[in-house]
Each structure stands twice: as structure tokens, then as C-alpha cells.
Amino acid sequence: MRRIRSCMILVPVVSALLLLVGCSEPTAETGGTPKLDYAEADYVGSEKCAECHDKIYAGWLEANHSQVIQRVEDNPLIVLGDFTQDFPPEADSFTAEDAVLIHGIQWKQRYIDSDWRIRPAQWNLDTERWAPYHADDWQENDWRTSCAYCHVVGYDIETNEWEELSVGCEACHGPGSAHADSPRIGNIINPARLTPKLAADVCGQCHTRGSSPDGEWSFPVGYMPGMSLNPEHFTPVPKDDEESWWPDGSIKQHRQQHIEWKESDHFPAGVGCIDCHTVHSRGAKYGLKDNANSLCRGCHDVSTDSVTGHAPIAGAPEHSNCVGCHMPPTGKSADYGDEHTHRMWVIKPQVTIDLGEGDPDMQPNSCNHCHEGVDPAILQSALDAGLANLK
């Protein structure tokens, strides 16, 4: 096993001294990068973690992170694509027998062959149809260099090898040999014991689009759980990239939640990923700990009654859906609208009028996602009237 370093340090919290695993926040002495106290550790694999954490391990096995990449020979039933359907005309056809690995379990499924090439069509699960994927250059598209980091544990950029195939325990907790040999909280990274920003950075190492500072890799080279995800590791895709962002700056592609979260009011309030999401069980849709309204109302004391509650237009029950207005589905994982913005801002129809020439296809908004084909100006007028009635 190659050796790698994981960090641990004492972090002061409020007025009490509490042992936390992770890294200190930046200070005047350390500058923009936290000062770390490292210890040697090896990767041991999720099955080793299960020896003590059997219930957590059993829950993780049901969650998307454990299933997002799988060997077909281990589970032939995981191939979900309908190979009797016609492929997109621009994509070369292939068969289920060509797939050695499957990539994806919730929104889409891609197929990797024995030469690590991602075949040129993906199966979109919700719409049950094939869609092209790098149809023009698929033979040069190596899954190991383009995707593997976020789907394995301990990816090595020098060898294109890894320690465990799947988003296993040590992808978030760091190398675990020291903890396995002598279990204590001081020799393993536990995101639940980190500050909200550092905990979210653990998720952000993959839920962020961009590149390493040298532009060679699409992930934060040198980052380890517990570190602060800084520019020295990663440069997020800029907001003027029209393939990744809508004109108002909301997500257009997938895997951009961390960047948006840092723009939300949740970030300064200390509300992070693990306050809403779970990775140790299947959870509700999107890995939520509870249904979305219950999660929101756990902190926001508002009524979702359609007549007397927070909904801006009385008598419209669907307006009581917190996510529908504050986290509209602007992103695309497999098909447009299957990923929600995480800035927690209502995108009013006026934004479409101002930035998208009144066309939701050029700039989506919260209202037109449900009210398809309705003029955004009409929706904005209704919204203004509804908000006025609340005052």
C-alpha cells in the first residue's frame, strides 16, 4: 500500500475547548491555508471500517455513493439501459457485453469498456432513452483521467490507479489505518466534527466543476478530507462559462452544488451539506434526511398552508413547496431540470425578462418550470400581486 497523509488538529469552538478532527480555519499567522499537523496513514477499505461500524456500513451500501460505479461481472442486473432501443444517430452503437463498468445509478448510466473508454451514449433513467455522450471523441475519452477521482478512493494521478472502486468511507474520512489500529476520534477525519465550511469542502471536492490550477485535472489535486478547499487545489469554472451557468449565475450543468452553496445565506449561517443530506443511508430522494419541506421548516418558522401561509399566491397548494420556488431545477445531469440550484434564491420571472429576453429557455425561473408556456410577464404580475397581499 502506498502511504498518504491525513490531518488532525485541535479547533477552538465558541468558548469551550472541544477536540475536533480536521483543520483549523485560516488565521493571520497561517494566511489563506490552514496549518495542518499530519500523521502517516494507509487506506484500508470500507470493509475494514465495517468491522466496527457495521450499521453505518450497511446503510452506506444502500446509498448512491456506494453504487455509483460498479463492475458488471459482480452485478449483471445493474445494467439498466434498454439495448433494444435505437441509439442516437450521431453515436456509435454498442452492446451490454461491451460494458465492464457502469457509471451512474440515479439519473443516468454510462458504460465503460475494457480499455477504459466511455461508450458514446448514456441511458437517461427518468426519460428511458439514449442520449449521445462525447459521440465524436469517445475513443479518446479515458474514464480514469476524466471521471475516476470522484468515483473511487485514493486516486493516484501518477499511475491512474486507486485503492477502492466506489465512493467509500475513506473518500470522506481520509485514510483509516491509524484509526483501525487504535480507534479514537483524534486519528480519523469526521466531517460531523469539522466546522461547517470544512465539512462542506469534503463534499465540494467532487460537487464542484472546475480544474486544478494547472488546468490538467478536473478535480482538486492534493486535497484531502479535513483540508480547506482553496485555490491552490482547485479553480471553479468561471461564471462567464455559458455551458456551466445561466445568465443569472445559477447552475446549468450538474455537480456544481458547492459553488452555489457558498453564494447562499446558508453558508454564512453555518448550514452545510450534512444538515440536509445523508450519505450513510439511502434517505429520501437526493439523499435527503427528510422530505424537503420538513427540512426547511426545521429552521424556518413559516407556514406552508396554501391559503394563510408563506405561499405568495393564496389558494395555490403547489406554491407551498419550498424547493419548487427557492431551489428551482435549473441544472442538467441527464435531462434538463434534474438538478436543483443550491443558492436558495427564488428566481423570479423578471430575471427571465431581464436576462433571457423573456425566454425561459435562455434564462429559467422558478415559476415557468411548472407554468410552462406562460408569458413570464404574466407570472411576474401575479407574483407581485400575491406578495402585495402578504404585506
Side-chain angles (χ1 to χ4, degrees):
M1 283 283 201
R2 60 189 175 84
R3 304 188 69 81
I4 197 159
R5 307 174 75 169
S6 66
C7 61
M8 54 188 176
I9 200 168
L10 294 177
V11 180
V13 177
V14 196
S15 59
L17 292 177
L18 175 66
L19 274 175
L20 295 179
V21 184
C23 316
S24 64
E25 289 290 288
T27 66
E29 290 73 27
T30 64
T33 303
K35 184 178 180 180
L36 308 178
D37 180 19
Y38 288 101
E40 295 289 333
D42 294 328
Y43 288 109
V44 295
S46 297
E47 290 187 1
K48 182 66 176 178
C49 304
E51 293 179 6
C52 294
H53 304 284
D54 55 333
K55 292 183 179 178
I56 292 176
Y57 177 80
W60 168 78
L61 286 177
E62 296 181 348
N64 287 341
H65 278 169
S66 71
Q67 302 177 35
V68 69
I69 185 76
Q70 297 186 53
R71 295 181 182 87
V72 175
E73 66 177 1
D74 294 339
N75 184 9
L77 295 179
I78 200 58
V79 178
L80 303 178
D82 183 355
F83 285 86
T84 67
Q85 284 193 25
D86 292 336
F87 280 77
E90 64 268 45
D92 296 336
S93 63
F94 59 97
T95 68
E97 287 69 32
D98 293 318
V100 175
L101 296 176
I102 63 93
H103 171 139
I105 191 66
Q106 180 162 323
W107 291 282
K108 59 184 178 286
Q109 194 165 84
R110 295 170 184 161
Y111 302 91
I112 298 99
D113 64 24
S114 58
D115 293 320
W116 301 107
R117 299 173 302 182
I118 307 172
R119 289 300 177 120
Q122 68 181 30
W123 178 252
N124 291 353
L125 295 171
D126 282 347
T127 56
E128 296 187 324
R129 65 179 180 89
W130 292 101
Y133 180 76
H134 283 273
D136 295 333
D137 61 353
W138 71 272
Q139 293 183 337
E140 289 78 46
N141 196 0
D142 190 319
W143 180 84
R144 294 172 298 178
T145 56
S146 61
C147 302
Y149 174 86
C150 287
H151 299 84
V152 302
V153 173
Y155 180 75
D156 188 327
I157 62 174
E158 301 296 333
T159 64
N160 290 332
E161 297 176 347
W162 48 82
E163 301 293 338
E164 180 180 357
L165 185 70
S166 79
V167 186
C169 306
E170 292 162 299
C172 302
H173 295 278
S177 64
H179 186 69
D181 292 341
S182 179
R184 54 188 176 86
I185 64 172
N187 59 10
I188 193 70
I189 300 299
N190 183 350
R193 292 179 176 273
L194 299 176
T195 63
K197 192 270 181 186
L198 291 176
D201 283 355
V202 174
C203 306
Q205 64 177 310
C206 288
H207 290 271
T208 305
R209 298 183 74 87
S211 64
S212 56
D214 60 8
E216 185 174 352
W217 302 94
S218 60
F219 55 85
V221 174
Y223 173 83
M224 291 289 292
M227 290 182 176
S228 183
L229 188 60
N230 288 332
E232 67 189 78
H233 303 119
F234 198 72
T235 302
V237 61
K239 284 292 183 118
D240 60 2
D241 186 322
E242 295 182 357
E243 291 187 0
S244 296
W245 304 101
W246 292 103
D248 74 325
S250 53
I251 60 166
K252 194 173 187 179
Q253 293 187 316
H254 70 293
R255 200 168 52 83
Q256 301 182 148
Q257 297 91 341
H258 184 259
I259 307 174
E260 288 202 306
W261 168 77
K262 292 182 72 174
E263 298 176 356
S264 74
D265 289 339
H266 279 179
F267 174 43
V271 179
C273 312
I274 58 178
D275 289 302
C276 300
H277 296 276
T278 175
V279 294
H280 290 152
S281 66
R282 180 178 297 277
K285 191 175 183 181
Y286 306 114
L288 293 175
K289 292 182 174 179
D290 202 343
N291 72 73
N293 270 14
S294 294
L295 286 172
C296 298
R297 293 185 64 196
C299 294
H300 300 280
D301 185 18
V302 296
S303 169
T304 52
D305 181 86
S306 62
V307 176
T308 62
H310 179 68
I313 301 177
E318 66 272 20
H319 293 169
S320 298
N321 174 9
C322 307
V323 166
C325 296
H326 292 270
M327 298 181 67
T330 66
K332 175 183 178 181
S333 181
D335 293 286
Y336 166 66
D338 56 14
E339 289 221 359
H340 293 258
T341 175
H342 277 64
R343 294 193 297 178
M344 315 299 167
W345 302 348
V346 175
I347 305 178
K348 297 181 179 180
Q350 190 65 46
V351 176
T352 299
I353 297 170
D354 294 341
L355 301 180
E357 301 178 11
D359 184 354
D361 290 334
M362 296 176 62
Q363 167 61 60
N365 63 72
S366 298
C367 303
N368 271 119
H369 177 71
C370 292
H371 299 281
E372 296 184 34
V374 179
D375 187 338
I378 295 175
L379 294 172
Q380 184 63 48
S381 295
L383 182 60
D384 290 341
L387 290 173
N389 287 336
L390 288 179
K391 295 179 181 179

